[in-house]
DNA sequence: GCTAGGATTTACT
DNA sequence: GTAAATCCTAGCA
C-alpha cells in the first residue's frame, strides 16, 4: 500500500520547551518518523524533574544527561537490558516517552525489523516502537528536529489519560496519554 | 567493588 | 498467569 502523504509543517524547538505533560498530550495524533518509517503517535507518557518515577529525579548522571539537554533532544535508553525506549526531552530534566504508534509509513522495513506481520504488534509498546523504527543508542542525544527524525501534523484527535505503566513510584500522576479508541495502544485505558 | 532493580517483551504452563 | 531473557546504572559498603 502507498504511504499516506504527510503534512509538511515545521515543529519549532519551542514546541518542546514547555511542560512535558502538555507536550505528551499534544503529541498524540502527530506523525513521528525515523527515516521512511513511522506512524501516528497514539500513546505517550510524561516524566518530569520532580517526579519520583523519572530517571532525572535524583539529578543529572551520565546515563540521563540527555534529559538535561536542549528541548527536542532524543533520550534513548536501554530497558531491562534488551529493549530501547525513545523519549523526547522537554524542559530540563523532563521528557516524553513514546509508547505506541499506529504504523502508517514504511510498512516493509518495520515488519522486517519486528519479525511480525500484525499491525497491532509492530509498534504497540515502547520497545516494539523503537525496534520498528530502528531506534537504538546511536540516536541518543540527537535532536528530533533534525534528520533522520521528522514530525508532522496529523488529524485532530480526542485524547484520554490514565496512570503510567510499569513504574513503582509516582503512580498517582495520570501522565499516560492515548488516542481515544485506538486499536494500537500498548494496553487499553480503563473505562471510567 | 557489589548488587538490586528496572519507563519490557515473549514464550510457556 | 508466570517467568525468563539480559545488562548496566545507580546507590551503598
Amino acid at each position: 500500500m502507498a504511504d499516506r502523504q504527510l503534512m509538511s509543517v515545521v515543529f519549532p524547538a519551542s514546541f518542546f520547551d514547555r511542560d512535558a505533560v502538555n507536550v505528551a498530550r499534544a503529541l498524540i495524533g502527530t506523525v513521528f518518523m525515523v527515516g521512511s518509517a513511522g506512524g501516528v503517535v497514539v500513546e505517550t507518557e510524561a516524566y518530569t524533574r520532580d517526579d519520583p518515577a523519572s530517571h532525572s529525579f535524583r539529578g543529572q548522571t551520565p546515563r540521563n544527561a540527555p534529559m538535561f539537554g536542549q528541548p527536542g533532544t532524543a533520550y534513548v535508553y536501554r530497558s531491562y537490558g534488551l529493549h530501547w525506549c525513545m523519549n523526547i526531552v522537554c524542559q530540563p530534566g523532563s521528557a516524553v516517552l513514546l509508547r505506541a504508534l499506529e504504523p502508517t509509513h514504511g510498512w516493509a522495513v518495520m515488519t522486517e525489523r519486528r519479525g511480525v506481520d500484525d499491525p497491532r504488534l509492530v509498534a504497540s509498546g515502547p520497545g516494539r516502537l523503537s525496534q520498528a523504527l530502528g531506534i537504538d543508542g546511536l540516536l541518543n542525544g540527537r535532536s528530533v528536529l533534525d534528520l533522520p527524525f521528522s514530525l508532522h501534523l496529523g488529524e485532530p484527535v480526542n485524547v484520554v489519560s490514565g496512570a503510567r505503566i510499569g513504574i513503582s513510584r509516582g503512580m498517582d500522576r495520570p501522565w499516560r496519554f492515548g488516542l481515544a479508541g485506538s486499536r494500537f495502544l500498548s494496553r487499553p485505558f480503563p473505562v471510567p
Side-chain angles (χ1 to χ4, degrees), chain A residues 3 11 13 15 18 21 23 26 33-34 36 64 67 76 97 111 122 124 138 148 163 177 185 190:
Chain A
D3 291 341
F11 275 65
F15 179 85
R18 53 187 171 133
V21 178
V23 176
M33 312 258 310
V34 179
S36 60
N64 68 23
M67 285 189 77
V76 183
L97 170 69
T111 53
V122 168
S124 297
L138 292 175
F177 299 95
L185 301 170

Side-chain angles (χ1 to χ4, degrees), chain A residues 39-188:
Chain A
V40 179
V41 178
V42 300
E43 186 179 339
T44 61
E45 284 178 359
Y47 291 87
T48 63
R49 181 65 217 278
D50 65 349
D51 167 14
S54 173
H55 290 174
S56 60
F57 183 59
R58 296 170 191 277
Q60 185 170 343
T61 66
R63 172 168 84 141
N64 68 23
M67 285 189 77
F68 294 85
Q70 290 296 111
T73 299
Y75 170 46
V76 183
Y77 71 92
R78 221 215 262 278
S79 174
Y80 291 89
L82 54 161
H83 305 291
W84 296 103
C85 290
M86 170 70 198
N87 300 259
I88 303 176
V89 174
C90 300
Q91 286 168 338
S94 73
V96 174
L97 170 69
L98 300 183
R99 287 194 54 92
L101 300 183
E102 173 182 347
T104 57
H105 292 71
W107 176 257
V109 65
M110 289 197 290
T111 53
E112 182 183 350
R113 286 171 177 152
R114 288 279 300 121
V116 297
D117 207 279
D118 183 341
R120 297 168 71 155
L121 296 178
V122 168
S124 297
R128 293 167 171 175
L129 181 156
S130 296
Q131 186 181 27
L133 270 54
I135 293 169
D136 61 19
L138 292 175
L139 293 174
N140 189 31
R142 304 271 290 270
S143 172
V144 301
L145 305 174
D146 298 327
L147 297 176
F149 297 110
S150 64
L151 274 166
H152 312 267
L153 280 188
E155 303 295 324
V157 295
N158 291 323
V159 179
V160 292
S161 64
R164 294 170 293 179
I165 292 177
I167 57 176
S168 56
R169 292 176 297 177
M171 273 98 77
D172 54 320
R173 307 189 184 205
W175 290 351
R176 175 184 178 225
F177 299 95
L179 178 50
S182 173
R183 299 163 20 243
F184 301 93
L185 301 170
S186 67
R187 293 170 58 174

